[in-house]
Amino acid sequence: MRILVIGCSGAGKTTLAQAIADRHGLPLIHLDQHYWRPGWTAPSEAEWHGQVERLADEPCWVMDGNYSGTLAQRLAAADAVVHLDMPRWLCLLRILRRTLLGYGRRRADVAPGCPERFDRAFILWVWNYPHRSRPKTLRLLEAASKTVVTLRSLAAVERWVAHGMPLKGSG
């Protein structure tokens, strides 16, 4: 099984993806570990698309990350999608908390050489996500013939996890 976990930064993708991987015994792929190079350097577009293709070709996985430029590519490979469609305020609060508590240290879900930092452009990216990236995500999800579980609140995530994270028949 291939399960894609998507949503705005700060929505809880990493935490939920880990829980899904543990529950279903699947390998976990954090796209941030594969995208970033030391010093928060981005790969070329061609390099990134090739990397995503190789990752998506694996026989089973739980994959978390945004990267809307490769979302269609990942959706094509996925069997199911968990879309964390959380409120902007929650995502921003979590990003700020993560930055303050982890400043200068590398998170386990990010590539080596990428310590947590305050990044104004990233904060603005999260702020603008509902208007800039969310509509494209919703269009791609609507067009995909995949099982999609959309969770819009912390309570919805908790209920879904408590019920065993069902993927069949959801959507």
Side-chain angles (χ1 to χ4, degrees):
M1 174 159 276
R2 296 171 175 166
I3 305 168
L4 191 57
V5 181
I6 61 172
C8 183
S9 296
K13 295 181 305 296
T14 299
T15 302
L16 187 58
Q18 182 68 61
I20 294 168
D22 291 346
R23 168 77 180 187
H24 295 285
L26 296 169
L28 180 58
I29 299 171
H30 296 297
L31 289 179
D32 283 344
Q33 288 178 335
H34 298 275
Y35 182 81
W36 295 109
R37 307 303 185 254
W40 294 100
T41 303
S44 71
E45 190 174 327
E47 182 183 0
W48 178 234
H49 280 272
Q51 177 80 11
V52 169
E53 184 175 336
R54 287 186 294 280
L55 293 169
D57 281 346
E58 291 295 318
C60 58
W61 40 255
V62 175
M63 184 183 294
D64 78 286
N66 282 311
Y67 305 100
S68 63
T70 62
L71 182 54
Q73 184 180 3
R74 290 178 284 130
L75 278 171
D79 299 309
V81 181
V82 179
H83 178 211
L84 295 177
D85 195 14
M86 297 296 173
R88 175 176 24 196
W89 67 265
L90 178 62
C91 295
L92 282 169
L93 180 67
R94 285 177 161 182
I95 292 298
L96 292 172
R97 181 178 182 265
R98 180 171 81 190
T99 300
L100 290 172
L101 295 178
Y103 189 82
R105 294 189 303 269
R106 181 180 74 88
R107 297 188 329 262
D109 60 309
V110 177
C114 297
E116 193 66 44
R117 63 189 176 156
F118 181 80
D119 183 342
R120 184 176 182 275
F122 180 61
I123 300 294
L124 289 173
W125 187 92
V126 172
W127 176 259
N128 291 316
Y129 180 89
H131 304 291
R132 188 202 58 252
S133 299
R134 185 176 180 271
K136 177 182 178 181
T137 297
L138 294 176
R139 282 191 305 273
L140 287 169
L141 288 175
E142 189 175 307
S145 58
K146 307 288 177 177
T147 297
V148 178
V149 176
T150 299
L151 304 169
R152 292 187 174 91
S153 68
L154 295 175
V157 171
E158 289 172 6
R159 280 191 305 272
W160 187 70
V161 169
H163 287 100
M165 300 180 226
L167 294 167
K168 304 257 189 266
S170 300

